[in-house]
Each structure stands twice: as C-alpha cells, then as structure tokens.
Amino acid sequence: MAKYDAVHSIFSPDHFFRRLMFLTKQVRIPLLFLTWVQFFHAWDAHCQPSYQMTMDSVGPFLDDVMVNESDEMALLLRSKNPVLWPQSTLTSYVLPFNGSANTAIGFEVSFQPSWPEKFSSSRYESDKALFVYEVQGIFPDGLSGVVCMDMSTGTGWAKRQPWQTSDPAEAVFDPSGNVLALFVVNNYISPLYNYPDSMTLGLYTLGPDGTELSKRGFRLIPPPGYGHTLAYQRSIFFDGEGNAYLLGYFTNFGLGDMSTMPYIAKFDSLWNPLVLKTIIPDGKDAFNEMIFTDDGPLILNYAPNNYTFLNNFKYIKDKNAKVIQFDKDLNPIWAKEYFGENYPYSFAGIKVNPNGSGNLLMTHVTFGAFPMVLTELDSGGSILSQKGYANYQPQIDLLSDGSLLMGSARNFNSDGSTDVQPVIAKTDAQGDIEGCTTYPTCLDVKDWVPEFDTFGVEPYDSIVSLIDLDFEVTPVSFSFSEGCNFPPAPVPDFHFPDTLCLADSARTTDTHNRLANAFEWHLTGPGVDSINTDSFDFSFRFSAAGEYNLKHTVWVLGCAYEFEKTITVLPELEINITPETICPDGPQELTVFSARILREYIWVDGSTGHSLTIDTAGVYSVRASDGFCTASDTAAILFLEDIIGNSNPIETPADTTVCEINLPYLLKIKSGFIDVFSINNDSVFNGEYILDKSGAYLISTEIDGCYFSKTFNLKTSGCVPQIFFPNIFSPNSDGINDEFFPQGNDFEIVSLKIFDRWGGLRYDGAGINAKWSPGKEVAEGAYVYLLEYKNVLTGETGQASGEVVLIR
C-alpha cells in the first residue's frame, strides 16, 4: 500500500464530498461509515501503481470491471451465478471502486417487477454509467433493457423493450452525449419457424434523462440460402466523423448446429448504410468485440457462444482468437490468428495502447486457474511481447497511464479450491502487479485470409417505443483485502519409485498439475507406449521387467514443461535355502542364496538374521527381500549323518604297486549313495578312472551337498623279482632254519639244485615245494645252490646261484 501522504488523486475534493453528502441524505448511509480514514484510503488508492484486492465476502459474482476517462473505476456484481432457467431473483450491485483495502460503498439495484436479471455489458463515461441488463431464463416475462445511472448519486433511468427476446440489447453514448440503444426485435422463435422480425434491429436515441428522441428499425437480410436465421448485435462504434459501425452476426437457426455468419456494417450520420459485409464462417467464429484504431475498425472473435438444441445447449468454443483490421471503408488490411499449444480459446479482449505508439494490447484467456496472456501487438498484429497471469479474466479495461484493470469472479484458496469471491487487480504501465507473479507464455500468431460476402438492410417501420422500467437503489458496502494469494504455478515434477518388482503397481505422488491448462503422461518401455491425459496422477501395473521412461508434460499459458524419470522393473526375486542337507562335519546353519543382494529376512521362527542355526532336521521356511522384491522358500532339511550312518561313502581298492610296464591302472570306485566322483578335479562317471602314473589321487564327491574325499596311492616298480637265500642253515629238527629255499617276491621256482664241493648233486627239486631238508648223513660244510626261476612280472626265466653253509 502507498503511504497516506502520497495524495495526487484525480478525484477532486468537491467531487468526493458531493458524493458523500448525497449518500448521507438520500440513501441514509450513516456518516460514521464515511470516515476520514476512508477518504484518505480512497485518495491514496489512485496513487498506487499496482495492487490486487479480494472481496472479503463470499457469494457476490463479478460480471464486469470498468473505468472511465478519468480513471475512476467501478464493479458490476450480482448475488449469484446466472441460471439457465429463472429460479430466484438476482440482486445486482454497482460498486465504485478505488483500490483501497477498506470498505467500498456502492448501490444495490432492484427492479420492479423483480426479475432474475444481470448486467451483461457496460459503458462508463464521466459520472454516468450505462448498463445493459438481461433477464435470465429462456422464456422470461421481461426482456432486456438499458439502465443509465449517475455514479455519484445512484439516480438515473431505465428502459426496456416490450418484446420477448433471447438476446440482450446494446447501448452506447453517442458523440453528443445521448444514449443510443439497439435492440433485436422479437428474437424469440422456434427452431422450426422463421419470424421475419427476428432479423430486425430497433435503434433508439435517448436523451440524457431517458427521453426518447427518435426510433427507427432495420431489417437485416442475410445472404441467400442461409436458412432460418436470427440476427444478433454485439457492438456499436462512432468514428468521430458522423459515421457509425455495427458488428454482429447471423445465426442459422436450423436443426443441428447453429452456424454463425458475422457481419459488419458502416452507416452515415443519417443511418444510411454505406458498406455491408458478412464474413464467411471459418468454423464457429462470432466476432463480438470492435475497437477503432488509426486505420479503422478492428474486430475480435470474442467468446464464441454458439450452441445447438440437439446438443443440450453445450457451448462450442473455438480454439483460437482471430482479429481482422479494416480500413474505414471496411476493406481488410490484415487478419491474424492467435494460438497456443493446449491453450484452447475461451475469450479475449483488445484495446489500443494509450501510450501513443499505435500498438495494441490484447488479452487471450483460456480456462482454469492460469488462464490469461497479455500480449502487446504492433499495428500489424505481430506479437511484440507477452506475459501471463493467474486467475484473471478481464474485459481489458485500460487506464490513462497504460495500466490494466483486471478482475475475476473466483478467488483461489491456499488448497487450490475456489470460492465465488471477486478479485480485482490493477497493473502498472508495464503490466506487473506488485507482490504478484507473472508467468512465461508461449502464444504464437499466424496469418489467415477471411472471405467476405454481403447482406441487405431495409427499413422497418413497426418499431414501438420502449417501456419505462422502475428500479430502486439502496446503499451497500463491501470490504476488500489486499494481497496475492494464488496457488503456485503448475510444474511437471512428480515422485515415483525408481525401482519396482515385476507385477508391482505404483502411482505417482506429489504432483502439481491440477491447475495446468493441460497435462499428459507418456510411458514407454518393454511392450508399452501409452499416453494418458485423463488423470492428475499416473498409475500402472508393470507386467514385464526392464527399463521404462515416464514423462510428464504440463502446459501452462501455452508453454510446455516436461519432467521424466527412468524406472527399473526387476524380474521376480528367486531365493533358495542352503544347504538343504547338514553335513556331518559342517556347520548346522541355514543361509539364503540369491543372485541379487538381499537386505531383509524373516525366518519361520520370526528371526531376522541372514542365517538360521538349527540342531534338528525338519521343514524350515524364510521370506527375504532385496529392498524391492520379496520371495519365499521352504526346504526340508536333513542331517546327512542320519542317512549315511557308519557306511563308507567312497570305496576303493587298497593302495597298489604295479609294474611300470603294466600302466595305465584302472581304478574302480564304488559308493552306496552316489555314482559321480571327482579325482584331482576330473569328473569320474560309472565309477572307473584310468591312472597312467603313480601318485596320490584325491577322490571326492558330494552327497546332498556334503563333501567327502579319500586318497588312493599307486606305486610302480622296475619289474625285477626280489629273491633272497640264507647263507647258513641248520637242519637239526629244532624248527629253526631246518630247510633251505629261496624267499622273496615276483618269482616262481622252476628248479632248485644243491651240489657239494666236489660237484656231486645232493638235491634236485621243482615248483613251489622245492625245499632242501638234508638228513643227518649229510655232513657239515659248504654247498653250492643253483636256482632256475620264472619272473612273474614279466614271465621270463632266470638263474641264481651261490653258497650256503650247513651246520649241525
């Protein structure tokens, strides 16, 4: 707020006190309500470069904000939203407004008889305001009319037309200060019939006190073949040279869509038609707003509201705003179309920038909480700059310094909900509001080429006078508070799990897209490429493992903002309890095996460690998680010693020595529990393994996960028999050395001969029983032996000889 000593208001003290004294006398407002504090607040408010004010009362509905040539402002309100069918009386309010945070005092207007009416358009010049009102409902008793009110006193007059109509009137101040009121005559018709009067305009000139000065009628004749037609009048403009321009449109009132054909006309000071043009429809264009530039009239397809009877009166909104600049003879100079991505057109407003540049200021409005774009256009319609606002839906009222007066019928609460609670804002000359945020916008413009036709105008003499309409004015006051309280702008950010498990479902959280003009979720990944625009949050059940990408796009004021996230979907978790058999010499401890790192466990006994110690066989289960996926396993645990008992799990021959020439050696292994073995890390099948050299061989196997081993030793020799003879023996029958024979290994006796020293043969034996056991007749002494033998390792024969001494 500005300080109270900044008093440079355009309101004069005389003007202010004149208004004050009238209100205290005529409408009996207690003087204590009009304190000096309110006076200085009113004075101070016009010094504020910018502000936003919110009405403290919830319920009044804002219809319009307006400003006169002295930058005095006023608000038009009513007690509730309009209804399609009249159900209750609506109260209208006219509220002079000065931007102060204190109470604003105005007028409550009620008509006699009482109808559910509302003000639909307005003009504000000097101290007078001109309002067009319309009765809500399709088949009302009363129709539309014109109210002229002194904004200082609340006094004035009202006129209404005597015909049924579904279309409000249009009224303006003409250059002489009179009121020019234009009504559509008898515009209520059935869609099956065509009333000639439905295309007739009644034009009335009313003096400053409401006196009817003149009246005339015009019948508008649409182009041939346009069917059952209604004519609607939307705007009147005087060019200062005695000429008047009318803007309106024909509606083809046939069954089905009501297509529109806009028209624009130029009349001289005597209301003779000079130029008559229709604009061949391009979709559902209804050009409803007209301003005057240095070049001539400029029209805008403001708020197209065409509907159909067969479509339950559903309003059809054109997507883009369109502008046509004419010269003063209605020749088109340029035509532009303004659009934004996912920014459907609701309505727009346009004015000439008062800074003398010849540029245009245009508001482009869509739906929702962030609807409005303010663009500055050059004189050719190209966009020079643009910025966005939250909430406002202005009729683009400009103050003399180029600041913008805006309003909204709804106020946003901190939780994003809305109330019917008027919000008024005044920008500075740059379009900014102190303490409020403006936003980036992305509107674009393109040329378009309209096509034109013509229509006819002929006099219509059956015009009757307007009827006086009584109304009462009572004082009313509303308080306002200053400050911006809009919710944050939508952003595409969201939270979603980075990693999920197969078949998991997940939903986004912490999204901020509910106030966006549009939004989109785009999921790509294994077997999926889907787009969703129907839900604020995104949810999905992932039926395939792999990498996914989720992209969220929000559109705000024609600009797209994106946020995306990579999501990893893991395959199902697999776990196994190990070992399933407890080995005789192993730990009696169960663990869980998985190809992924496990982080959480819960065993059958409720323990949460990574292992479980057991001392008995039985069935054990565990549930484990890697932090994303969970899996369970159950195992019947056995103690192997209970199975094997005292049995030898590996059976082999005894350690063996073989002749080198008899290698390789076939080792045979047996087991009563398994038939797969390993020898020095080589696999053995069928229990047989060939050894090609001597050495120690480690034989191992696993039985139900338990490890067993045994070493087999194989030796080799050079294949020479080992033969030993005693060098003395004593055959004396004492049982010790009584016989002489060769001893050793790996040979067989072929023959054994004994000779005395003279060469006499004393013994000749053969075979395994060849042994010399001499009797007593054989004398002591030395004897010679000769052995012939067979090498059992090689099969060869050989001889061995030597001496042996016989003693008694």
Side-chain angles (χ1 to χ4, degrees), residues 539-668:
S539 60
F540 193 76
R541 184 177 184 271
F542 294 88
S543 58
E547 295 289 325
Y548 292 79
N549 183 266
L550 178 60
K551 182 169 69 174
H552 185 209
T553 306
V554 299
W555 284 268
V556 182
L557 298 168
C559 301
Y561 303 91
E562 296 179 349
F563 178 79
E564 53 188 312
K565 194 167 193 176
T566 299
I567 303 157
T568 300
V569 177
L570 301 173
E572 290 182 351
L573 179 66
E574 296 182 357
I575 64 172
N576 291 290
I577 294 176
T578 183
E580 294 188 8
T581 302
I582 302 299
C583 304
D585 57 351
Q588 298 177 356
E589 185 177 75
L590 300 181
T591 59
V592 182
F593 172 78
S594 176
R596 305 208 292 259
I597 297 175
L598 301 178
R599 303 182 186 280
E600 298 176 0
Y601 307 82
I602 181 166
W603 294 88
V604 65
D605 63 352
S607 62
T608 57
H610 71 281
S611 63
L612 178 68
T613 301
I614 63 172
D615 55 10
T616 58
V619 177
Y620 294 88
S621 62
V622 67
R623 185 172 181 84
S625 171
D626 62 356
F628 306 104
C629 307
T630 57
S632 299
D633 188 38
T634 299
I637 306 302
L638 301 174
F639 280 71
L640 193 60
E641 61 186 7
D642 295 335
I643 301 174
I644 295 178
N646 296 325
S647 300
N648 190 347
I650 301 176
E651 298 179 9
T652 63
D655 293 344
T656 303
T657 300
V658 298
C659 177
E660 291 182 353
I661 65 173
N662 289 334
L663 292 177
Y665 176 78
L666 180 62
L667 176 64
K668 294 185 178 181

Side-chain angles (χ1 to χ4, degrees), residues 39 138 357 365 533:
F39 167 73
I138 302 178
S357 64
V365 182
T533 59

Side-chain angles (χ1 to χ4, degrees), residues 66-265:
M66 55 186 183
V67 60
N68 67 7
E69 71 278 6
S70 298
D71 285 352
E72 293 178 305
M73 296 171 284
L75 311 179
L76 293 182
L77 306 102
R78 50 189 152 86
S79 59
K80 59 184 294 186
N81 282 306
V83 293
L84 183 63
W85 200 277
Q87 296 178 350
S88 61
T89 299
L90 300 179
T91 301
S92 298
Y93 306 100
V94 180
L95 190 67
F97 184 77
N98 54 31
S100 170
N102 290 311
T103 301
I105 299 172
F107 313 107
E108 178 183 316
V109 184
S110 59
F111 293 89
Q112 301 298 326
S114 182
W115 291 319
E117 77 289 327
K118 81 178 185 76
F119 292 142
S120 61
S121 62
S122 61
R123 298 289 189 276
Y124 191 12
E125 293 185 8
S126 299
D127 286 341
K128 294 185 182 296
L130 193 61
F131 309 114
V132 173
Y133 79 90
E134 59 179 303
V135 177
Q136 294 297 291
I138 302 178
F139 306 109
D141 293 329
L143 310 168
S144 62
V146 177
V147 179
C148 185
M149 180 182 293
D150 188 305
M151 293 296 288
S152 299
T153 64
T155 59
W157 52 264
K159 300 284 185 178
R160 74 173 178 88
Q161 58 170 315
W163 314 283
Q164 286 187 320
T165 181
S166 61
D167 192 50
E170 176 70 14
V172 295
F173 293 106
D174 69 11
S176 64
N178 294 325
V179 174
L180 188 67
L182 189 65
F183 292 90
V184 178
V185 178
N186 199 20
N187 210 10
Y188 165 62
I189 66 169
S190 164
L192 300 179
Y193 302 97
N194 183 19
Y195 284 74
D197 288 352
S198 67
M199 293 176 289
T200 301
L201 301 180
L203 182 65
Y204 298 83
T205 302
L206 307 172
D209 60 353
T211 301
E212 184 176 295
L213 302 179
S214 66
K215 64 179 183 292
R216 70 184 67 213
F218 304 97
R219 176 171 291 158
L220 307 184
I221 304 172
Y226 204 59
H228 302 291
T229 306
L230 297 178
Y232 292 85
Q233 179 58 38
R234 280 295 176 259
S235 184
I236 306 175
F237 192 90
F238 296 97
D239 65 0
E241 299 176 0
N243 299 313
Y245 294 83
L246 271 62
L247 176 69
Y249 59 89
F250 299 105
T251 295
N252 190 345
F253 209 92
L255 292 177
D257 287 351
M258 296 172 61
S259 60
T260 62
M261 178 175 287
Y263 64 79
I264 185 169

